[in-house]
Amino acid sequence: MKLKKIFILLINFLSLISIAISSNIELLTFSANITGENFYSENPFSGGYNKPKIQWVDWNNDGFDELFLLDEDGKLKYFNMCNNSNGGSCTLVDPFFQELNCASWFFFGDFDNDNMPELITQSIQNPTHLTYYENYNNILQIEALELTTNLNQFVTSEAVVTPTFADIDNDGDLDFFTGSVNGTLSFYENLGLENNIPVFVFRSNHWQDITIIGQSISINRHGASAISFIDLDSDGDLDLTWGDYFQQSLYVVWNIGNNSEPHMNLENIVNNFPESPYTIETSGQNMPSFSDIDNDGDMDLFVTVLGGTYGFQTINNFYHFENIGNASNITFIEKTRNFLNCLDFNDNSSPVLVDIDNDGDDDLIIGNSFQTTSFPWNGRLKYLENRGTNKNPEYHIIDENFLGNLIGKDLTPTFVDIDNDGDLDIFVGETYGKVFFAENIGNSFQHQFNDFVNFLDIDVGYNSVPAFIDIDNDSDYDLFIGNSLGNLIYYKNIGSANNHNFALENNNFFNISVNGKSSPNFIDFDNDNDFDILIGSEYSGIYLYENVGDNEFCNFTINEEFPFPIIGNNLKITSNQSTPFINNLIIGNKLGGLFNFRFSICGSGDFDGDSILNVNDIYTMVNIVVNGNINGDSICQGDSNLDGLLTILDILNFINDILN
């Protein structure tokens, strides 16, 4: 009774306060441990990266650098919590920062001297031009689609290079530098602001007469892929670090002038930076950046690999070199080649959660597009065994070449007991629209698969993604296949559970259409006892098609208000229910990595269905908990911490939400 009186007092206090509810979608970055040979990660679900371009920026003005990363999907990822004495451990905050499309490069800098970073990116309209974003209270908005010079000409940069900005003349503004494939630098001086937009004047297409020649056996092309200015020797002026197209290491051109009148020449150049034995061994096109990640008063070096001529490299593309010297006497040692330490499977990762060893938890099988470590460069299947639980998984990398490498590229696996013998068989889609099948001739505890065969000579064009579900409730599995066109192809099982026989029923099931490369996943998303469809797409995120019929007579319609965030390109979805009412989603993407989201239609606390959380809902919840009238519906609505229970802790969570 005393507890109830306390809650009544709180309810009276909160009677005039209400908040609008929002969707319950949560990005999970520290949701599982991953262990394998020479690999351990507590932060595996950061989305991967192939050709990362990065910048360290104190975005939230807390005195520490945050990390921004752009890859070939054009999405800008935002990480924080990077700085610590142990060398950094970043947390992914936003996989698509402010939904900015930055094309292939970006730069944050304080261009209007307001102590907040503005943004300049490659123009979407013209890849040789520059777009300027003004910072309005940490919201970036386009202020100029294309920056111009004092002569009203466009500021330009070669589309294939990554330029930079630096106050090279020490006049308090950021000048523009861009490299070229012929090994020279162009220089635009910043003249100041006009209508709150920086204006530049073109000064030189061969700044300081610097020409750096890279080496190539077959062709004689070379040049600056990425450049950065930093006072490396702590003498008060800016030196130049240079990533070349064909140079596996970095160049450093020392400034022998001063902070207002730079002087650089090739007589003061380091051709292999950092110096041996910690040399960079990449495919070229290296991008240098710097941050005091360990807070010891000196700058550490980061090198990201943009791809190049010495082989196709899409993993171990984020080097971290710690400065074990000091600000005036730099000595770099290599710490890691995978700074973010996330799972990365080269390209187009396609996960599936499945209890392949029948131990009561879901393991993780991941297909990818290709692998360059061995010939042929086909896709591979990766087997990660779950030695934890569905709620608290611990994945161990068991086999990185699961069932061989002879199928093809862009592998999209799924498992189903197609012959009703008590064990799971495997089906795999691939690049050219076929579906391959391997029967499990082992048992439910110890799998053993036959060789893959072409299943029923199915051909859906390109990029087949199979999924099985009993869509008509007749006790056998039907087959759905996504493809490159973005629709769903339906094969009805006209046989039985023991003896399948598939017939093409519909080439465009319920007119479902997404923006390229449809990837279906069937799940009871709204907890109404029928299957809905989550569909990943190539370019426009994840779609929800709700079943407004039932299990026997389905009727799918798109939910236009489905709130799932855009997180990348070519998304492949797998799901399970870690606890009642809670869907756990693992999503693969173009970059070869994985995201982990938790989604629930429950936990809003909106007991009266008015889309507002207020005192009426809390009063109802208190009565349910105190009086013990707890059922499935009340758990669904009130379970704010998503543990499958309705307790006093959930009440306190809601009260805290309202107070804040």
Side-chain angles (χ1 to χ4, degrees):
M1 290 302 294
K2 187 176 180 180
L3 180 63
K4 189 172 182 178
K5 289 180 179 179
I6 293 173
F7 279 118
I8 289 173
L9 290 173
L10 284 170
I11 287 169
N12 289 333
F13 174 71
L14 297 168
S15 61
L16 299 177
I17 306 175
S18 64
I19 60 172
I21 63 172
S22 58
S23 59
N24 202 345
I25 299 177
E26 182 182 3
L27 173 64
L28 305 178
T29 54
F30 295 96
S31 54
N33 294 334
I34 306 289
T35 302
E37 186 177 356
N38 300 319
F39 180 85
Y40 177 79
S41 177
E42 295 180 348
N43 186 17
F45 299 119
S46 296
Y49 48 90
N50 285 350
K51 301 175 182 179
K53 301 177 182 181
I54 71 168
Q55 188 182 356
W56 297 95
V57 183
D58 186 5
W59 172 257
N60 57 13
N61 201 30
D62 63 351
F64 301 104
D65 284 344
E66 286 78 53
L67 173 65
F68 289 87
L69 185 150
L70 178 70
D71 215 302
E72 56 188 352
D73 63 355
K75 310 297 190 293
L76 189 63
K77 297 179 184 177
Y78 171 50
F79 299 80
N80 67 7
M81 306 293 291
C82 293
N83 299 73
N84 63 54
S85 59
N86 296 319
S89 176
C90 294
T91 299
L92 177 63
V93 177
D94 191 343
F96 192 11
F97 181 70
Q98 297 194 17
E99 299 186 7
L100 298 172
N101 194 331
C102 298
S104 66
W105 64 263
F106 70 101
F107 186 92
F108 284 99
D110 185 7
F111 288 91
D112 57 4
N113 297 310
D114 62 352
N115 294 317
M116 293 191 301
E118 284 74 44
L119 175 67
I120 295 180
T121 71
Q122 184 181 48
S123 169
I124 301 298
Q125 297 179 336
N126 189 325
T128 65
H129 295 176
L130 284 62
T131 297
Y132 177 68
Y133 291 80
E134 179 63 54
N135 188 336
Y136 295 98
N137 296 318
N138 283 350
I139 302 297
L140 295 165
Q141 298 180 16
I142 292 179
E143 201 76 8
L145 282 172
E146 296 174 303
L147 288 178
T148 59
T149 70
N150 60 323
L151 301 178
N152 204 32
Q153 298 173 336
F154 293 118
V155 180
T156 62
S157 173
E158 291 186 13
V160 296
V161 304
T162 303
T164 193
F165 294 82
D167 185 8
I168 196 67
D169 49 11
N170 199 32
D171 63 352
D173 53 36
L174 294 169
D175 308 298
F176 179 56
F177 293 86
T178 180
S180 68
V181 295
N182 66 7
T184 62
L185 294 183
S186 293
F187 169 46
Y188 289 81
E189 183 184 354
N190 190 337
L191 297 180
L193 299 175
E194 185 175 311
N195 297 322
N196 209 38
I197 298 171
V199 177
F200 297 85
V201 57
F202 176 74
R203 295 299 191 193
S204 174
N205 61 5
H206 198 177
W207 185 72
Q208 297 283 307
D209 294 326
I210 296 173
T211 303
I212 293 181
I213 307 295
Q215 299 298 319
S216 174
I217 297 175
S218 58
I219 56 178
N220 198 29
R221 198 179 78 171
H222 38 73
S225 57
I227 52 177
S228 178
F229 286 91
I230 184 174
D231 186 4
L232 267 178
D233 50 8
S234 298
D235 64 350
D237 54 43
L238 296 175
D239 308 294
L240 173 62
T241 55
W242 176 302
D244 189 82
Y245 278 97
F246 300 116
Q247 172 73 355
Q248 290 183 281
S249 184
L250 297 173
Y251 298 107
V252 173
V253 185
W254 299 106
N255 188 352
I256 58 175
N258 54 55
N259 62 357
S260 57
E261 296 182 359
H263 180 59
M264 302 184 185
N265 58 56
L266 296 186
E267 295 179 1
N268 295 280
I269 186 173
V270 175
N271 290 308
N272 192 10
F273 185 85
E275 298 181 11
S276 180
Y278 300 104
T279 56
I280 302 171
E281 299 176 355
T282 72
S283 56
Q285 293 197 57
N286 302 309
M287 178 178 178
S289 61
F290 298 86
S291 175
D292 184 10
I293 194 71
D294 50 9
N295 301 316
D296 63 351
D298 53 49
M299 290 293 184
D300 306 296
L301 169 64
F302 298 85
V303 180
T304 51
V305 184
L306 311 184
T309 60
Y310 296 112
F312 198 99
Q313 179 174 332
T314 56
I315 57 175
N316 292 330
N317 281 357
F318 198 156
Y319 285 65
H320 169 210
F321 293 87
E322 181 186 358
N323 186 0
I324 61 172
N326 52 52
S328 58
N329 184 24
I330 55 175
T331 302
F332 289 113
I333 62 170
E334 182 182 307
K335 298 292 289 186
T336 181
R337 300 184 178 187
N338 183 13
F339 176 73
L340 291 178
N341 200 36
C342 61
L343 279 180
D344 195 323
F345 298 109
N346 285 31
D347 196 69
N348 287 335
S349 54
S350 180
V352 57
L353 288 163
V354 57
D355 188 6
I356 195 169
D357 52 8
N358 199 25
D359 63 350
D361 53 54
D362 286 330
D363 310 295
L364 191 57
I365 308 294
I366 304 165
N368 71 349
S369 180
F370 61 88
Q371 192 147 314
T372 62
T373 54
S374 61
F375 189 81
W377 283 16
N378 286 335
R380 303 290 194 276
L381 299 177
K382 318 289 181 176
Y383 172 29
L384 281 67
E385 180 189 357
N386 185 0
R387 296 178 182 174
T389 64
N390 283 344
K391 187 177 181 180
N392 296 297
E394 292 185 10
Y395 297 109
H396 291 253
I397 302 174
I398 301 299
D399 191 349
E400 295 199 62
N401 192 21
F402 184 60
L403 305 183
N405 61 5
L406 301 178
I407 300 177
K409 294 180 172 60
D410 287 315
L411 305 186
T412 58
T414 191
F415 291 80
V416 65
D417 185 6
I418 196 64
D419 48 13
N420 201 29
D421 64 351
D423 55 42
L424 294 171
D425 311 293
I426 184 172
F427 294 79
V428 183
E430 52 83 54
T431 297
Y432 296 106
K434 302 183 185 303
V435 175
F436 288 88
F437 164 61
E439 182 185 358
N440 187 353
I441 57 174
N443 55 55
S444 62
F445 297 96
Q446 187 66 42
H447 56 263
Q448 181 182 348
F449 292 95
N450 279 332
D451 293 337
F452 280 103
V453 296
N454 191 345
F455 187 66
L456 302 179
D457 292 323
I458 287 174
D459 188 346
V460 297
Y462 291 95
N463 301 110
S464 55
V465 183
F468 288 87
I469 194 74
D470 183 8
I471 199 66
D472 49 11
N473 202 29
D474 63 351
S475 301
D476 55 37
Y477 288 106
D478 307 292
L479 170 61
F480 292 84
I481 307 176
N483 67 359
S484 61
L485 299 177
N487 57 349
L488 285 188
I489 299 169
Y490 171 34
Y491 288 84
K492 179 179 174 61
N493 190 347
I494 58 176
S496 65
N498 297 321
N499 188 19
H500 62 263
N501 183 18
F502 291 95
L504 178 62
E505 185 79 6
N506 197 314
N507 271 312
N508 192 6
F509 183 70
F510 275 94
N511 294 317
I512 290 173
S513 180
V514 301
N515 193 1
K517 294 186 179 180
S518 50
S519 173
N521 178 265
F522 289 83
I523 185 173
D524 183 7
F525 215 67
D526 49 11
N527 291 304
D528 64 351
N529 296 314
D530 56 39
F531 288 105
D532 312 292
I533 312 176
L534 278 181
I535 307 181
S537 67
E538 185 171 13
Y539 299 113
S540 46
I542 294 174
Y543 297 76
L544 171 62
Y545 282 82
E546 291 187 66
N547 187 355
V548 295
D550 53 37
N551 273 342
E552 188 171 356
F553 300 100
C554 59
N555 183 15
F556 292 96
T557 181
I558 191 169
N559 183 336
E560 299 284 0
E561 298 179 354
F562 180 57
F564 209 92
I566 296 178
I567 56 174
N569 295 351
N570 204 10
L571 303 180
K572 307 287 178 53
I573 311 162
T574 187
S575 61
N576 66 10
Q577 284 195 312
S578 56
T579 60
F581 310 113
I582 302 167
N583 295 303
N584 184 51
L585 307 178
I586 294 180
I587 303 169
N589 67 359
K590 164 70 178 171
L591 303 177
L594 302 172
F595 295 108
N596 190 188
F597 283 86
R598 181 169 60 187
F599 182 93
S600 177
I601 64 168
C602 304
S604 70
D606 184 25
F607 287 91
D608 56 12
D610 62 355
S611 298
I612 297 292
L613 180 61
N614 55 25
V615 67
N616 295 326
D617 301 299
I618 296 179
Y619 182 79
T620 301
M621 192 174 179
V622 170
N623 276 292
I624 290 173
V625 173
V626 173
N627 296 317
N629 298 321
I630 300 174
N631 55 40
D633 289 337
S634 61
I635 293 175
C636 179
Q637 284 299 333
D639 182 20
S640 63
N641 58 5
L642 300 181
D643 62 357
L645 304 171
L646 183 59
T647 66
I648 291 172
L649 292 177
D650 297 299
I651 300 174
L652 295 175
N653 283 341
F654 282 120
I655 291 174
N656 185 65
D657 287 341
I658 291 180
L659 290 175
N660 290 294

